[in-house]
Structures are given as C-alpha cells and as structure tokens.
Amino acid sequence: MVSATKQTVVDDGVRIAYRVFDGVEPAVVVLHGLAGSGREFIDTANGLPGRRVILIDQRGHGHSTTRPADTSREAHVSDVVDIVGKEASVPVILVGQSMGAHTAMLLAAARPDLVRQLVMLEGNQGGGTADEHKAVGDFFRSWAVPFADRAEALAALGEGPLEKAWVDGLEERADGLHPRFDADVMQETIEAVGEPRWTEWESVEVPTLVLYADGGMFSEEQKAEFVSRGRAVRRVDLTGASHDAHLDAFDQWISALRGAVAETAEAS
C-alpha cells in the first residue's frame, strides 16, 4: 500500500504528523506506544489491504513536535480527534498499543460518536508508581546519543524487535543519529498515563477487543480485572509475545486485527 505523509498544526501550536493509507471506510486509526511512532505500524497498515489506515505520530513522538508544552492525556486525545475529523468518515475503528491504547480508550469514553470499534493491544486503565515512571525517563536519558551510525545504535540498544524499531526511527543530524523524542517528555507523558482512569474505562460502550501477550507487562490479575470492568469486551491472548506484540508476534496480531475489522465492516 502507498501512504501519504501529512501533518497538521493543532490549537496549541503543536505539529502532528501522520500517514494515510488510502482505501475503503471505515478507517482504521492506529496509535503507537510510548517512545514509538506510527512507523512501527506500517506493516500493520499493509496487512489491511484495501482499507483506509491512518498512523498518527502522537505529540512528542516521531515527526510530530518533540517537546510539546502540554503532555496531558487530554491533549493527546484532542490531537486524534482533530485528525479523525480531517481524514476519516466517522465513526472509525480505533486501535492503540500500550500508551496509545490508553489514548484510544479515553477517546472512546469522551467521544463515542467517533468510534465504531476499539482495539487495545497491551493497554489498561493506567497506573504505576512515581519510581517506575522516573525509571522510564532515566532509561531514555541513559542513551549515549548521538550514535555515530546504525551499527553503534544497535550495539548499544540491542537487536530485538523493539530495539530495531527504535533504531529505524532515529533522526540523522550532522553529528549523528538522535531519537525522535525527548527523555524528559517521555517521563512526563508516562506520568500522565499513570493516573488510573477506571471511570472512563467503565463508561466505554463501544465494542472493544483487548489483546494481551503472555510475555507482556500485565499480571493475570490485572488483565482479568480490566476485562471484567469493561462493558462490551472480548479478550484475545497472544502466545510467545511481548508487550510489543505488533512487532514480535505479528502474525497473531494481524490475524486478530483483521478479524475485528472484518466484523466491524460487515456490521456497518
């Protein structure tokens, strides 16, 4: 599939970049996780041939503004609402992974008129401790950037699917390769995700597919509670997969997503 790369400037002056793969509606709008970008989901878009797919670089990520003043959850939701209004007939199929799943869940709660189906990969209502959030920031601050080249970046970060995605997303500058995100902004963003949003989750009425990896970041107790407190939830478990199952368990991921899209499209 051929995509068009676009950008828009939202109300607070932040630039939001996104890719549009042309095809039939309802559109599938995909939101990446923390420190990721829409680039990670190009294979997902190509795995939905003939379907309109929109991959958004959320604020602070990818080709969007790197250091937005507002890193709130509400700002992230507003950005997606803006792009959906410009690029899709509503309601859409809204897909998110990790932090992106949290954004998608909040949008479905606030604007159910815009969402036909919600798909959450390795997401929940939010949470975590201050120490855990600081550890995220410290990890990204520990990167010895700039990297001289791709080989040095891979040697420093590792060669797993997630690490390769980070390396693929590096920005080339005169002095070397830099991440397309700021470590302090990543910490601020995950701190905002850390506020539990049970009220919003329990209000979501649109059909929701929740996918969890057996090697993901949530315990069985957390998974079960999240699903049980939803209204119209179907759960699928991915095996031999990590928190980034869209990268390391792609066949299972795309099969589940295709099924959800097909069911939703037939019902529309």
Side-chain angles (χ1 to χ4, degrees):
M1 293 173 66
V2 177
S3 66
T5 301
K6 301 184 177 184
Q7 64 178 25
T8 188
V9 177
V10 296
D11 289 345
D12 64 350
V14 168
R15 181 185 69 257
I16 303 296
Y18 58 99
R19 292 179 174 90
V20 178
F21 295 74
D22 200 17
V24 299
E25 307 271 3
V28 177
V29 179
V30 185
L31 308 176
H32 60 81
L34 188 78
S37 73
R39 182 188 180 99
E40 290 178 23
F41 287 90
I42 291 176
D43 286 347
T44 294
N46 287 329
L48 299 171
R51 177 69 49 187
R52 187 170 183 82
V53 181
I54 302 169
L55 310 180
I56 300 175
D57 288 354
Q58 295 179 84
R59 58 175 53 212
H61 296 78
H63 291 271
S64 295
T65 297
T66 305
R67 298 179 181 84
D70 188 351
T71 57
S72 68
R73 300 279 68 219
E74 290 70 23
H76 284 78
V77 169
S78 179
D79 295 340
V80 180
V81 170
D82 184 280
I83 292 170
V84 167
K86 287 181 169 69
E87 296 290 350
S89 299
V90 296
V92 301
I93 300 168
L94 186 59
V95 179
Q97 184 260 340
S98 192
M99 177 200 77
H102 193 263
T103 307
M105 179 268 288
L106 294 178
L107 194 156
R111 292 294 306 273
D113 57 307
L114 301 183
V115 183
R116 185 185 305 265
Q117 163 101 8
L118 175 62
V119 179
M120 299 178 66
L121 172 61
E122 279 285 299
N124 73 349
Q125 79 288 344
T129 68
D131 286 345
E132 288 171 339
H133 301 151
K134 183 177 182 300
V136 170
D138 287 344
F139 169 68
F140 292 124
R141 283 187 285 269
S142 75
W143 290 15
V145 295
F147 300 113
D149 52 30
R150 179 182 171 85
E152 182 178 285
L154 287 170
L157 300 179
E159 297 197 13
L162 175 60
E163 291 76 17
K164 287 181 178 178
W166 279 333
V167 172
D168 287 342
L170 292 171
E171 177 185 12
E172 185 173 359
R173 302 180 192 170
D175 61 343
L177 301 176
H178 292 256
R180 291 186 184 273
F181 56 81
D182 177 82
D184 293 341
V185 171
M186 294 301 95
Q187 182 173 335
E188 292 173 9
T189 301
I190 200 62
E191 286 171 350
V193 174
E195 178 187 348
R197 298 294 193 106
W198 283 115
T199 299
E200 287 88 346
W201 168 235
E202 291 171 347
S203 75
V204 173
E205 296 183 344
V206 302
T208 301
L209 173 64
V210 174
L211 300 104
Y212 285 120
D214 56 359
M217 66 180 294
F218 302 112
S219 69
E220 181 54 41
E221 291 74 18
Q222 289 173 313
K223 298 173 188 178
E225 181 181 14
F226 185 70
V227 171
S228 69
R229 292 175 68 166
R231 293 194 177 192
V233 185
R234 180 168 65 92
R235 172 177 167 178
V236 169
D237 292 298
L238 308 179
T239 59
S242 77
H243 185 62
D244 300 283
H246 61 294
L247 300 175
D248 61 26
F250 180 78
D251 289 346
Q252 294 178 70
W253 156 245
I254 198 64
S255 177
L257 182 59
R258 283 173 180 159
V261 170
E263 288 177 11
T264 304
E266 289 172 4
S268 62

